[in-house]
Amino acid sequence: MSLLHEFYTLSNGIRMPKIGIGTYKLKAGQEAYQAVLDALTIGIRHIDSGIIYQNEQSVGQAIKDSGIPRENIFITSKVPPHIKTYEGTLRMFEKSLLNLGVDYIDLYIINAPTPLHDVGGNYDVANLEVYRALEYLYQEERVAAIGVSQFQIKDIENIIMNHHITPHVQQISFFIGHTQQELVSYCNKHQIQIQAFSPLAKGYLLNNPILTDMAKRYRKSQAQLALKYVIQKGVAPIPKSSNKEHLLSNTQLDFEIHHSDMLILDDIIDDPRVFDDVVTHKTYR
Ligand SMILES: NC(=O)c1ccc[n+]([C@@H]2O[C@H](COP(=O)([O-])OP(=O)(O)OC[C@H]3O[C@@H](n4cnc5c(N)ncnc54)[C@H](OP(=O)(O)O)[C@@H]3O)[C@@H](O)[C@H]2O)c1
């Protein structure tokens, strides 16, 4: 079966397509519009958006122009990292709906446990307020599922201890060499589905020599191998691309990485990549 017809079932029964498209860094206007339209034309039905990407309107226009029934598309959006109040969350939600031109969101998540300017700060109480708004939206059936992103175990424990609904999804950076095993095991134990952001390590992973050799052996691209690895881990990748060929090949994953090769890929920890503008491989390992 084509990957385009495969889903993960969340703990509340909602089905989420296994592969999606990320929209961070797609320029608002033609670039974001065309990438999302191309993705939908190819058959991708899972779009990861966010108000802070400043392109939700272009994403929404592409969804509208695709003519695909709304209920056939799975849309994620996010509470921006700096929004840490109940009212602020509801306000941002309405704004995203307006931007995207839809009347519900499939998955609404808290983008980060802290604002970007205060990583390391304690927002336990504030995150409970944000999550309270998410639960409200869920109960009102304005979102089909709720979740978190970049939350550590202690941050999720805080939610679980103080709220009724365990997050359905956690979105984290997850790629070969960076699989956050302890966090993922914790999420698995609580039936929290993992979504992989930066599944190609923003492209830096693609030059890894072990991956390159193995990809040749499988007659696949490095990106295909990297994405298949993520899926074989039970995780949903949302690679970003503005290139139609890349978008298409990222969905053509009808092969299996042998167990022995998965173990080889599991052992990659020393890949000198720059993962973020500020975070180096030394800090995410
Ligand atoms: N929750 C969070 O805090 C958070 C943080 C970061 C990202 N995200 C989400 O995750 C999405 C994906 O992560 P990301 O954008 O950071 O990085 P990524 O998907 O790992 O990598 C994107 C890069 O890979 C390239 N690429 C994609 N497919 C390729 C292929 N088949 N062959 C060669 N190169 C390929 C893209 O270039 P081309 O465009 O040229 O193909 C782009 O430069 C984001 O767009 C966003 O939606 C969420």
Side-chain angles (χ1 to χ4, degrees), residues 24 48 111 149-150 171 198 200 202 240-242 246 250:
Y24 178 45
D48 183 70
N111 202 147
S149 174
Q150 302 189 33
Q171 186 179 112
S198 306
L200 306 174
K202 296 181 188 281
K240 169 264 169 189
S241 183
S242 55
H246 288 170
N250 290 350

Side-chain angles (χ1 to χ4, degrees), residues 5-272:
H5 301 112
E6 291 184 29
F7 298 82
Y8 291 117
T9 302
L10 307 183
S11 62
N12 63 349
I14 293 292
R15 296 196 324 154
M16 181 177 81
K18 283 192 178 177
I19 184 103
I21 175 178
T23 60
Y24 178 45
K25 291 264 167 94
L26 290 173
K27 283 194 208 80
Q30 185 58 23
E31 187 182 61
Y33 174 80
Q34 197 59 50
V36 173
L37 196 58
D38 285 346
L40 290 168
T41 306
I42 285 164
I44 294 171
R45 293 290 180 269
H46 177 176
I47 301 167
D48 183 70
S49 67
I51 212 164
I52 57 166
Y53 303 162
Q54 297 181 15
N55 57 13
E56 276 190 334
Q57 285 178 341
S58 314
V59 171
Q61 193 62 44
I63 291 170
K64 185 169 172 232
D65 292 353
S66 75
I68 295 163
R70 167 69 186 92
E71 63 275 18
N72 292 351
I73 304 176
F74 188 100
I75 305 173
T76 301
S77 190
K78 313 185 184 82
V79 185
H82 66 282
I83 299 294
K84 291 293 171 203
T85 62
Y86 180 87
E87 293 300 335
T89 301
L90 296 183
R91 216 171 40 244
M92 287 297 132
F93 176 74
E94 297 299 339
K95 216 167 168 180
S96 277
L97 283 190
L98 209 62
N99 284 342
L100 292 162
V102 296
D103 58 7
Y104 72 95
I105 283 175
D106 296 273
L107 172 63
Y108 200 48
I109 61 182
I110 308 177
N111 202 147
T114 68
L116 300 178
H117 67 268
D118 192 19
V119 175
N122 187 327
Y123 288 82
D124 286 355
V125 174
N127 280 325
L128 292 178
E129 280 298 281
V130 176
Y131 201 79
R132 189 164 70 84
L134 261 54
E135 282 197 334
Y136 169 76
L137 293 169
Y138 182 69
Q139 271 143 12
E140 293 293 303
E141 300 186 359
R142 306 200 63 204
V143 298
I146 56 178
V148 294
S149 174
Q150 302 189 33
F151 271 43
Q152 296 306 310
I153 292 175
K154 68 172 179 48
D155 302 317
I156 305 178
E157 288 271 282
N158 177 40
I159 300 283
I160 291 178
M161 298 285 283
N162 292 289
H163 277 299
H164 297 299
I165 304 168
T166 297
H168 302 112
V169 170
Q170 146 99 314
Q171 186 179 112
I172 54 172
S173 55
F174 183 102
F175 48 85
I176 293 171
H178 178 60
T179 52
Q180 310 209 48
Q181 284 177 35
E182 196 187 341
L183 182 55
V184 169
S185 300
Y186 175 86
C187 289
N188 289 342
K189 198 173 111 201
H190 290 274
Q191 291 183 284
I192 302 170
Q193 174 65 46
I194 302 286
Q195 276 182 336
F197 77 67
S198 306
L200 306 174
K202 296 181 188 281
Y204 292 103
L205 177 60
L206 305 179
N207 299 321
N208 178 283
I210 299 172
L211 184 67
T212 300
D213 282 353
M214 196 181 286
K216 270 194 207 129
R217 194 150 47 78
Y218 278 85
R219 295 170 197 264
K220 298 288 169 193
S221 70
Q222 292 98 321
Q224 286 173 314
L225 200 62
L227 295 172
K228 187 67 187 191
Y229 174 89
V230 170
I231 288 173
Q232 284 187 212
K233 293 284 182 186
V235 170
I238 44 168
K240 169 264 169 189
S241 183
S242 55
N243 175 316
K244 196 169 181 181
E245 279 173 28
H246 288 170
L247 283 168
L248 180 63
S249 70
N250 290 350
T251 67
Q252 294 171 330
L253 306 181
D254 54 345
F255 65 102
E256 199 69 20
I257 305 173
H258 302 137
H259 180 63
S260 55
D261 286 330
M262 286 295 283
L263 294 178
I264 291 171
L265 297 176
D266 282 343
D267 276 348
I268 294 179
I269 50 164
D270 224 356
D271 183 32

